[in-house]
Amino acid sequence: MDAAREHPLTFDASRSELRAALDRINELECELRRLRAEHTGPATATLAPMRLLDVEAWAVRHAMERAHGNISRAARALGLSRAALYRRLERHALARERVKV
C-alpha cells in the first residue's frame, strides 16, 4: 500500500500548488493583522492600567468619527441623548477640538 493511502492527511501537491497555498495563507494573515489594527481600541489593547474616563473619551471620539461629526448619530450609537453627548464632549475637551473625519 502506498504512503498516500496509509495516512488520510497525506496528499500529492506540486510545489507551485503548495507555494500558492502558503502565499494565500500569508495574505490572509496580513489582512487579519490589518483589520485587528483598525479596530483596536482601549478595550482590546494590552492590559495596561487605564482610567474609565480615558475609555469614555475614546468611545466618544470613535463615535464622532464614525458619525462624521453628526451629534445625533453619534449620540444614538452610544445610547445617549444629544445633551449627554454634549456634556461628554465638554468633559473631554472634544467640543473645542472638532473631531476629524
Side-chain angles (χ1 to χ4, degrees), residues 9 19 40 48 51 58 63 70 86 93-94:
L9 297 179
R19 188 78 202 131
T40 299
R51 298 178 344 175
W58 176 86
N70 184 305
Y86 275 116
L94 297 173

Side-chain angles (χ1 to χ4, degrees), residues 2 23 32 37 43 53 55 64 73 79 95 101:
D2 66 25
D23 288 343
L32 182 60
L53 285 175
V55 175
M64 289 295 293
R73 286 195 325 216
V101 275

Side-chain angles (χ1 to χ4, degrees), residues 8-25:
L9 297 179
T10 304
F11 62 95
D12 280 336
S14 68
R15 286 183 183 211
S16 62
E17 290 173 323
L18 290 174
R19 188 78 202 131
L22 290 173
D23 288 343
R24 182 65 181 139
I25 289 170

